[in-house]
Amino acid sequence: MEVTNIAQKSPSLPWKTRLTVSILCAATDASQRRDGTVNRRLLGFFNFKAPPNPNPINGVETSDITADPSRNLWFRLFVPTNPDQTLPVIVFFHGGGFVYLTADSKAYDAVCRRFARKVPAIVVSVNYRLAPEHRYPAQYDDGFDVLKFLDDNKSQVLPENADLSRCFLAGDSAGANLAHHVAYRAAESNFQKLKVVGLVAIQPFFGGEERTEPETRLSQLVSMKRTDWLWKAFIPEEEWVGRDHEAINVSGPRAAKIAAVERFPATMVFVGGFDALQEWQRRYYNWLKNSGKDVHLVEYPNMIHAFYIFPELPESGELISQVTHFIHKH
Ligand SMILES: *[C@@H]1O[C@H](CO)[C@@H](O)[C@H](O)[C@H]1NC(C)=O
Ligand SMILES: *[C@@H]1O[C@H](CO)[C@@H](O)[C@H](O)[C@H]1NC(C)=O
């Protein structure tokens, strides 16, 4: 199957998925102004939101918790109501190129609810600040500061059965880029109770100056035009060194010395065969592997970028099962 993919530009997807992808692309393209700013008002019409709900839906109750009012840093907490055994904690970062979407976006509320119920786990979905209004490293700071907040304030904000010594970082696309960088910082820090034992990188948003073959062939959702724009919106102008910045080309010439980071957690990388970013994701996997890290690669040959947020795709459920298995193993 992988062989036939080479010539194909798009996979066979249900019409519902294709329609949602087209609407997402049209909305994001229309919101990008020529001067590099984003029309948030316009985006607001397309970012359908789900409010927090103390009444369990599908066995999971949710609430929004503020970690730092001065920068409006908050997270949505997902607590499964049934199990009274201790549960791992997943700190989750949504995708959206560092520019789009929020922790209360409907699609991400649904994804986190599924993780909370299926694993089961306490899920903390971080509403980090967005670019270009807030640029790198604001997003990494927000992610890391939520870990510190949880470590400091566990008894006040998390249920008693939350086990912070089994903490996993997870995210998709830009959220996976963010999870990687937060995992790196966490591995170099000391917490009282919190211990990051795993990283789930779902189709991470990485890149570089080079144009890889899939980037020139595939344009579903993450075309080069869109990703080039997003990277420019993310990195502060005065820090722009091209797309080989260490936040973008993580395994490139400016890469961190990951081999020396002993506590870097076990990692799972998901890659889709119709994702323009796939080559960068495989390089990330190889970089971790060659640096002596415990890392697993899972390939979905027929899937596009962000496939798992579409519950109508059976592969979406498969991914949740694989993450569940990974979490239970660590
Ligand atoms: C813990 O919570 C308190 C009160 O909300 C806050 O002042 C403090 O900064 C928090 N700790 C961290 C590390 O965020
Ligand atoms: C980016 O990183 C890769 C390693 O993943 C490296 O081979 C490449 O030289 C870097 N720079 C460019 C221009 O792609």
Side-chain angles (χ1 to χ4, degrees):
M1 223 177 252
E2 262 163 295
V3 178
T4 54
N5 278 350
I6 303 295
Q8 263 174 271
K9 279 192 190 312
S10 57
S12 47
L13 290 172
W15 67 269
K16 187 180 163 196
T17 313
R18 278 197 308 236
L19 182 68
T20 312
V21 169
S22 318
I23 293 172
L24 273 177
C25 289
T28 55
D29 289 350
S31 74
Q32 297 174 354
R33 297 200 188 96
R34 237 178 246 146
D35 63 359
T37 61
V38 166
N39 187 339
R40 296 266 169 226
R41 237 177 85 87
L42 175 69
L43 275 178
F45 294 117
F46 295 96
N47 186 13
F48 303 106
K49 293 189 175 182
N53 198 333
N55 304 313
I57 302 174
N58 295 335
V60 177
E61 54 188 39
T62 55
S63 54
D64 290 346
I65 294 174
T66 300
D68 180 1
S70 71
R71 57 182 138 154
N72 192 24
L73 176 60
W74 59 270
F75 56 84
R76 179 158 294 180
L77 180 67
F78 298 78
V79 179
T81 47
N82 289 334
D84 42 18
Q85 83 256 37
T86 62
L87 295 178
V89 177
I90 302 175
V91 178
F92 180 86
F93 304 98
H94 68 81
F98 296 110
V99 170
Y100 302 111
L101 303 172
T102 44
D104 56 358
S105 295
K106 236 177 162 169
Y108 282 107
D109 183 85
V111 159
C112 289
R113 203 176 282 279
R114 278 172 92 191
F115 277 126
R117 185 179 69 245
K118 290 277 168 74
V119 173
I122 310 284
V123 179
V124 168
S125 179
V126 180
N127 195 67
Y128 54 87
R129 287 169 294 174
L130 297 176
E133 292 88 342
H134 303 277
R135 291 172 187 251
Y136 162 91
Q139 293 72 19
Y140 301 169
D141 292 343
D142 288 354
F144 184 74
D145 290 346
V146 164
L147 295 189
K148 278 199 301 201
F149 177 85
L150 294 174
D151 192 46
D152 240 33
N153 294 302
K154 178 187 184 285
S155 51
Q156 291 97 287
V157 295
L158 293 182
E160 213 163 323
N161 62 343
D163 182 1
L164 267 185
S165 69
R166 273 191 302 150
C167 177
F168 291 80
L169 303 183
D172 68 289
S173 196
N177 173 311
L178 217 167
H180 162 78
H181 285 96
V182 172
Y184 181 85
R185 280 198 202 178
E188 304 248 79
S189 313
N190 287 310
F191 296 102
Q192 304 159 49
K193 308 176 202 84
L194 186 143
K195 196 167 164 237
V196 177
V197 294
L199 166 62
V200 178
I202 304 170
Q203 303 182 287
F205 183 30
F206 294 134
E209 277 307 316
E210 188 192 326
R211 299 301 194 181
T212 59
E213 187 277 326
E215 284 177 295
T216 60
R217 175 170 46 97
L218 301 164
S219 59
Q220 296 267 2
L221 218 49
V222 279
S223 66
M224 283 190 285
K225 188 165 169 254
R226 292 195 188 103
T227 54
D228 286 358
W229 190 93
L230 290 169
W231 290 128
K232 284 250 169 160
F234 177 55
I235 304 290
E237 267 163 56
E238 63 280 9
E239 257 194 68
W240 182 253
V241 291
R243 290 187 305 274
D244 276 334
H245 191 285
E246 59 271 31
I248 305 174
N249 195 356
V250 268
S251 53
R254 295 161 62 99
K257 303 270 173 285
I258 196 88
V261 184
E262 273 177 28
R263 287 187 296 171
F264 194 82
T267 302
M268 195 175 197
V269 185
F270 288 96
V271 175
F274 281 101
D275 185 346
L277 305 177
Q278 59 188 283
E279 208 43 50
W280 295 107
Q281 296 158 356
R282 288 193 198 99
R283 286 180 189 186
Y284 173 63
Y285 162 78
N286 285 322
W287 173 60
L288 290 180
K289 198 166 156 232
N290 296 334
S291 306
K293 302 303 163 200
D294 176 3
V295 56
H296 313 266
L297 179 72
V298 185
E299 298 249 8
Y300 281 88
N302 287 316
M303 289 294 110
I304 58 168
H305 194 71
F307 72 90
Y308 89 110
I309 65 167
F310 301 104
E312 66 270 23
L313 302 176
E315 286 84 353
S316 169
E318 256 177 67
L319 182 143
I320 306 248
S321 305
Q322 283 160 332
V323 171
T324 300
H325 182 72
F326 174 77
I327 289 178
H328 288 184
K329 235 176 45 189
H330 292 91

